[in-house]
Amino acid sequence: MDKTDERLIAALRHNARASLSDLALQLDLSRTTVRARIERLQIKGDILGFTVVLKEDALQDPVRGLMMIGIEGRGASRIIRQLQGLSEVRAIHTTNGRWDLIVELGTETLETLDAALAKIRTFDGVVSSETNLLLATKKDS
């Protein structure tokens, strides 16, 4: 992937519905070149698809936090299933090191976040946790 492909992908990330003509103007390329590059990136598997971002997907939760969880024994898959059922859970990451899971949480209020944390701590097999509130996002993908 060269710099032109990177610029093309950046433009598509900004607006995946941009027309080939608009992309060509923006990148100072021909429409044919843009189409060929997109097709090549799809064939190579660099571009897997295009998506829609809804307004509510772009809105950030007013209260966000990361909860690091330590798990006893082999209960990780069961705990992950329980976490997936919670509406406050935005993402679940497995990791190495001190913590077994890192869970991204998002809620409307601190009280709701506190209730979610309390519930997660009661899951059988959760032996330790630490939570950090996210105050500001300086860069988001």
Side-chain angles (χ1 to χ4, degrees):
M1 186 178 312
D2 62 14
K3 293 286 185 197
T4 302
D5 287 340
E6 290 172 2
R7 289 177 46 233
L8 175 58
I9 289 172
L12 288 169
R13 280 188 173 147
H14 179 70
N15 181 6
R17 290 183 47 103
S19 69
L20 292 176
S21 299
D22 289 343
L23 290 167
L25 280 172
Q26 182 180 345
L27 300 171
D28 198 27
L29 299 170
S30 73
R31 191 177 171 280
T32 305
T33 300
V34 171
R35 184 180 63 237
R37 282 182 176 263
I38 290 173
E39 288 173 0
R40 182 177 47 78
L41 289 167
Q42 287 177 303
I43 290 167
K44 284 178 35 188
D46 290 325
I47 294 178
L48 298 177
F50 301 87
T51 188
V52 173
V53 178
L54 300 175
K55 182 169 86 175
E56 57 266 14
D57 294 336
L59 297 175
Q60 289 192 350
D61 298 301
V63 180
R64 299 172 298 137
L66 295 177
M67 181 181 200
M68 284 70 71
I69 300 174
I71 299 172
E72 178 180 60
R74 300 179 187 263
S77 58
R78 178 180 36 77
I79 291 170
I80 290 171
R81 281 193 305 276
Q82 289 175 290
L83 290 167
Q84 289 170 331
L86 297 178
S87 63
E88 300 87 358
V89 172
R90 301 295 175 254
I92 304 166
H93 308 278
T94 58
T95 185
N96 65 331
R98 178 177 175 197
W99 304 106
D100 299 300
L101 298 175
I102 297 177
V103 179
E104 295 180 45
L105 299 157
T107 64
E108 288 292 318
T109 65
L110 281 171
E111 291 80 12
T112 310
L113 179 67
D114 185 47
L117 297 173
K119 183 173 191 164
I120 293 168
R121 288 187 194 109
T122 66
F123 290 174
D124 188 40
V126 172
V127 293
S128 59
S129 70
E130 179 179 318
T131 303
N132 292 299
L133 291 178
L134 300 176
L135 302 176
T137 300
K138 303 301 181 188
K139 181 181 184 221
D140 199 4
S141 58

